[in-house]
Amino acid sequence: MRGTTVDGPGFRTSIYLAGCNHRCPGCHNPQSWSFDGGSSMTLEEIMEIVREEDFNVTLSGGDPLCSPLTTLPLLKALKEDGRNVWLFTGYTWEEISANPEISKLLPFIDVLVDGRFVESLKDPDLLFRGSANQRLIDVKQSIREGVPVEY
């Protein structure tokens, strides 16, 4: 989604990746659960759009961390291009930190919105998240301190 203001501060380019194992009841984007969904794009095609828009970037989905091997090159390219990167995931910080394959993506993320959507905790007044259990985590500070630090 080009030029959105709902997936992080300011105007952002949101990139929605296909595939999610969490399948949270009440998810606002269940059509993204299939790993075969959406349309395929090369990394260069994505980066062309990002550069054309010239906004910071949010990765969402689906869940970008359900496909870490696909997401890592994109994150690296975004950071090399100087972008501030937010990433929405159903995994918690603790689950990510315990998983070596997924945790290696953390250095390329500025803010992580973590936790599965919980319909009974839905709150439309929350900033940049859908349910009260989800956190906005400052990734760099959290890595330094060894615990999740809220943004």
Side-chain angles (χ1 to χ4, degrees):
M1 181 181 306
R2 297 178 182 219
T4 181
T5 58
V6 298
D7 293 331
F11 282 98
R12 305 184 75 79
T13 299
S14 287
I15 301 169
Y16 295 88
L17 285 81
C20 183
N21 296 324
H22 308 299
R23 301 179 181 268
C24 303
C27 173
H28 79 283
N29 202 9
Q31 64 274 19
S32 69
W33 292 352
S34 171
F35 287 88
D36 297 326
S39 55
S40 294
M41 296 177 73
T42 66
L43 178 57
E44 190 48 47
E45 288 171 329
I46 294 170
M47 291 307 297
E48 279 182 38
I49 292 169
V50 168
R51 290 182 189 116
E52 176 186 311
E53 291 292 306
D54 199 26
F55 298 135
N56 288 313
V57 176
T58 298
L59 300 184
S60 190
D63 187 331
L65 297 186
C66 285
S67 301
L69 296 177
T70 301
T71 304
L72 183 59
L74 175 57
L75 286 170
K76 286 181 176 180
L78 291 168
K79 293 313 288 180
E80 287 171 6
D81 203 55
R83 305 297 164 171
N84 171 276
V85 177
W86 281 42
L87 188 142
F88 284 76
T89 182
Y91 293 106
T92 64
W93 175 268
E94 293 77 12
E95 290 170 322
I96 295 164
S97 298
N99 184 319
E101 185 178 3
I102 298 175
S103 64
K104 66 184 174 188
L105 282 71
L106 288 174
F108 305 99
I109 301 166
D110 295 290
V111 175
L112 181 79
V113 183
D114 84 331
R116 289 158 187 78
F117 173 76
V118 177
E119 198 163 19
S120 64
L121 299 176
K122 181 179 179 177
D123 184 346
D125 295 327
L126 291 171
L127 191 60
F128 308 127
R129 51 207 158 123
S131 59
N133 62 299
Q134 297 172 311
R135 301 174 289 184
L136 304 176
I137 296 176
D138 180 324
V139 175
K140 289 176 184 17
Q141 190 173 352
S142 298
I143 291 171
R144 280 193 302 272
E145 296 189 20
V147 294
V149 176
E150 295 209 29
Y151 172 79

